[in-house]
Amino acid sequence: MILKKYPYIAIEGPIGAGKTSLAQNMANYLECALLLERPEENPFLEKFYSNRARYALPTQLFFLLQRIDQFQPITHANIHARPMVSDFLLEKDQLFARFTLSEPEYALYQKIYQQMKPQAPSPDLVIYLQASPEKLYERIKRRGSIYEKNITEEYLYRLSNCYTQFFHQYEKAPVIIVNSENLNFANNTADFNLLLQRINQMRSAREYFNCGLKEYL
């Protein structure tokens, strides 16, 4: 039933929110295609977290080109033929560019973006995962990824604010905003099933999963 209503589901949220594990679980459960970010392929990413001012632009341009390549073969027609779950939106590239680049770098990035005219199908549903910066930091340290080892809580706090502001204005698709602070969609079947139930029950374009949701403004 979910895929009939939402053939393309995109999962978004800051680093450590649980996007990839939820996307993998949903794709397996719904038996649909899976499109994942591949941050480990970015040769600048580890350097970026050590020296953001120096490596922000090459990091961002690599991600832009990578995401364009990933979305290039995907159209609304083949999504309806074979539904899909992804763990990112193409618009995330603009979000991170505005967040990480200096003004001159952002102006250059915008010129490149406009020349390339990247395209991606709009999702039928966005699942936006939130958690406190402290929880995000705890999860990142626990998974021990080499390229994430220099991420700070201050960076996650600012990034969470950017996501909150972005989704406050986002209107391209229905959004369910999920407080993932105390939910484990990777290993807790009850949490996962409850989320699926809430998605099936959606009646408006913006809904919240967890009455104790916090906004980090």
Side-chain angles (χ1 to χ4, degrees):
M1 180 177 176
I2 288 178
L3 290 180
K4 288 183 179 179
K5 189 175 181 181
Y6 308 116
Y8 172 26
I9 299 172
I11 301 168
E12 261 298 354
I15 304 159
K19 301 181 295 293
T20 302
S21 57
L22 177 57
Q24 290 169 329
N25 272 7
M26 290 197 76
N28 288 337
Y29 178 84
L30 299 171
E31 298 182 342
C32 65
L34 175 65
L35 181 66
L36 296 178
E37 279 194 297
R38 301 193 297 265
E40 69 281 355
E41 295 179 5
N42 191 324
F44 304 103
L45 190 56
E46 184 177 356
K47 295 175 183 177
F48 164 74
Y49 286 127
S50 299
N51 188 340
R52 294 200 291 271
R54 181 175 179 181
Y55 290 102
L57 184 58
T59 300
Q60 202 57 49
L61 290 177
F62 184 95
F63 275 132
L64 175 61
L65 294 171
Q66 183 188 57
R67 288 163 185 156
I68 290 172
D69 285 344
Q70 286 181 279
F71 276 111
Q72 193 168 28
I74 299 171
T75 65
H76 279 293
N78 57 33
I79 282 177
H80 280 270
R82 191 187 181 200
M84 182 177 78
V85 174
S86 71
D87 69 346
F88 68 103
L89 290 168
L90 180 60
E91 289 92 337
K92 132 179 289 180
D93 210 76
Q94 287 274 356
L95 184 157
F96 270 85
R98 179 71 272 182
F99 173 56
T100 63
L101 301 180
S102 67
E103 288 299 325
E105 288 174 335
Y106 184 68
L108 174 60
Y109 166 88
Q110 285 292 81
K111 289 182 179 179
I112 294 170
Y113 192 95
Q114 289 161 13
Q115 285 291 322
M116 301 191 75
K117 296 182 173 63
Q119 306 243 339
S122 295
D124 300 290
L125 174 69
V126 176
I127 302 172
Y128 166 36
L129 301 180
Q130 286 190 328
S132 68
E134 293 79 12
K135 177 62 74 173
L136 298 173
Y137 184 75
E138 174 191 319
R139 291 172 179 170
I140 289 166
K141 290 302 178 185
R142 189 165 60 239
R143 67 192 184 193
S145 173
I146 292 175
Y147 60 84
E148 294 176 336
K149 65 184 179 182
N150 291 313
I151 293 178
T152 65
E153 279 192 56
E154 185 270 340
Y155 176 84
L156 294 170
Y157 185 88
R158 291 174 54 230
L159 180 61
S160 295
N161 284 344
C162 286
Y163 266 99
T164 298
Q165 293 163 17
F166 174 81
F167 278 104
H168 181 71
Q169 304 175 44
Y170 184 83
E171 296 181 344
K172 287 188 176 181
V175 179
I176 181 167
I177 302 173
V178 179
N179 183 355
S180 67
E181 185 91 6
N182 298 307
L183 298 170
N184 185 344
F185 299 123
N187 303 308
N188 189 312
T189 303
D191 287 349
F192 180 69
N193 288 339
L194 188 56
L195 175 61
L196 295 178
Q197 180 183 339
R198 288 296 301 271
I199 292 172
N200 270 320
Q201 294 172 347
M202 284 186 68
R203 296 293 180 269
S204 64
R206 181 171 297 262
E207 297 194 7
Y208 298 87
F209 179 40
N210 189 326
C211 59
L213 183 70
K214 297 178 181 178
E215 295 285 353
Y216 298 97
L217 296 171

